[in-house]
């Protein structure tokens, strides 16, 4: 089984709790451990908050989440002016309330990719390995192929990411 959730959201702070709660409810129903769910919620919040604060002049953005095998892949896509992710980043002062989003995402994600589409927006792709509670429905639903063929759960994290393109056709489909 593969589960995909995709939403086009207004570039408004009220949209962040909507996607957070929707994804968390899905992960909870599958039996994903609470610490992993909390990490995913924080990564997602930071990526969405960056779009809301910085993706002018875009009016909306898209969040696509894919649960595949033992992975959660999140793509946050905006159509703003773009953002240069390659430059050196200095750490914000310890008392600062802003400027920590990229550091938080990098610390929590098992794999992270940034794509700047020069004046057509940016894509942030976050990947997190899932861990399940005992007897979780997700073990049999998401990992059914591995269990059926006796392959076991893949243990590779970060070196061979399973990030796949499942965004709608158009500008958003060129993530590699």
């Amino acid at each position: 089984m593969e589960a995909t959730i995709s939403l086009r959201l207004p570039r408004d702070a009220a949209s962040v709790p909507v996607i957070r709660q929707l994804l968390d409810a899905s992960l909870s129903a599958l039996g994903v451990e609470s610490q992993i769910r909390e990490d995913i919620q924080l990564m997602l919040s930071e990526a969405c908050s960056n779009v809301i604060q910085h993706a002018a002049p875009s009016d909306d953005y898209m969040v696509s989440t894919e649960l595949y095998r033992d992975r959660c892949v999140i793509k946050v896509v905006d159509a703003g002016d773009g953002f240069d992710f390659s430059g050196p980043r200095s750490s914000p002062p310890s008392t600062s309330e802003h400027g920590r989003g990229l550091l938080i995402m990098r610390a929590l994600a098992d794999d992270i990719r940034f794509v700047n589409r020069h004046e057509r927006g940016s894509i942030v792709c976050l990947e997190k390995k899932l861990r399940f509670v005992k007897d979780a429905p997700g073990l049999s639903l998401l990992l059914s192929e591995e269990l059926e063929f006796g392959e076991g759960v893949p243990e590779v994290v970060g070196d061979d990411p399973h990030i796949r393109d499942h965004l709608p056709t158009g500008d958003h489909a060129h993530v590699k």
Side-chain angles (χ1 to χ4, degrees), residues 11-88:
R11 208 179 112 228
D12 184 298
S15 67
V16 179
V18 171
I19 187 62
R20 275 178 54 122
Q21 290 172 16
L22 183 62
L23 182 55
D24 188 57
S26 300
L27 294 170
S28 179
L30 290 169
V32 174
E33 289 182 0
S34 63
Q35 182 60 56
I36 298 298
R37 292 192 346 254
E38 290 170 14
D39 289 353
I40 289 170
Q41 282 190 39
L42 186 52
M43 292 183 325
L44 177 61
S45 294
E46 292 298 333
C48 292
S49 294
N50 283 345
V51 168
I52 290 164
Q53 291 176 4
H54 304 293
S58 177
D59 291 332
D60 60 6
Y61 67 106
M62 192 171 99
V63 176
S64 175
T65 61
E66 178 182 304
L67 305 176
Y68 174 74
R69 296 174 58 179
D70 66 336
R71 309 247 177 227
C72 177
V73 178
I74 301 167
K75 294 179 185 176
V76 179
V77 182
D78 71 73
D81 289 333
F83 183 78
D84 181 11
F85 298 100
S86 63

Side-chain angles (χ1 to χ4, degrees):
M1 178 183 109
E2 185 176 311
T4 303
I5 300 169
S6 230
L7 291 177
R8 185 170 302 277
L9 300 160
R11 208 179 112 228
D12 184 298
S15 67
V16 179
V18 171
I19 187 62
R20 275 178 54 122
Q21 290 172 16
L22 183 62
L23 182 55
D24 188 57
S26 300
L27 294 170
S28 179
L30 290 169
V32 174
E33 289 182 0
S34 63
Q35 182 60 56
I36 298 298
R37 292 192 346 254
E38 290 170 14
D39 289 353
I40 289 170
Q41 282 190 39
L42 186 52
M43 292 183 325
L44 177 61
S45 294
E46 292 298 333
C48 292
S49 294
N50 283 345
V51 168
I52 290 164
Q53 291 176 4
H54 304 293
S58 177
D59 291 332
D60 60 6
Y61 67 106
M62 192 171 99
V63 176
S64 175
T65 61
E66 178 182 304
L67 305 176
Y68 174 74
R69 296 174 58 179
D70 66 336
R71 309 247 177 227
C72 177
V73 178
I74 301 167
K75 294 179 185 176
V76 179
V77 182
D78 71 73
D81 289 333
F83 183 78
D84 181 11
F85 298 100
S86 63
R89 301 277 178 252
S90 59
S91 295
S94 60
T95 57
S96 176
E97 291 184 24
H98 301 286
R100 293 196 179 119
L102 294 175
L103 296 172
I104 290 170
M105 287 186 283
R106 283 189 170 114
L108 297 175
D110 293 321
D111 189 40
I112 186 168
R113 295 183 184 169
F114 302 100
V115 178
N116 180 2
R117 300 180 304 158
H118 306 287
E119 297 181 14
R120 293 183 317 140
S122 300
I123 301 170
V124 176
C125 188
L126 305 158
E127 182 176 329
K128 185 76 173 174
K129 183 174 180 178
L130 300 176
R131 289 192 317 253
F132 299 90
V133 298
K134 185 178 179 182
D135 298 324
L139 288 171
S140 61
L141 294 173
L142 293 174
L143 302 174
S144 60
E145 288 178 11
E146 288 83 0
L147 296 173
E148 181 179 331
F149 296 109
E151 296 175 17
V153 177
E155 290 298 326
V156 177
V157 177
D159 293 334
D160 184 24
H162 300 292
I163 296 175
R164 297 167 26 181
D165 294 329
H166 284 282
L167 295 176
T169 58
D171 288 340
H172 306 304
H174 300 292
V175 178
K176 298 280 184 211

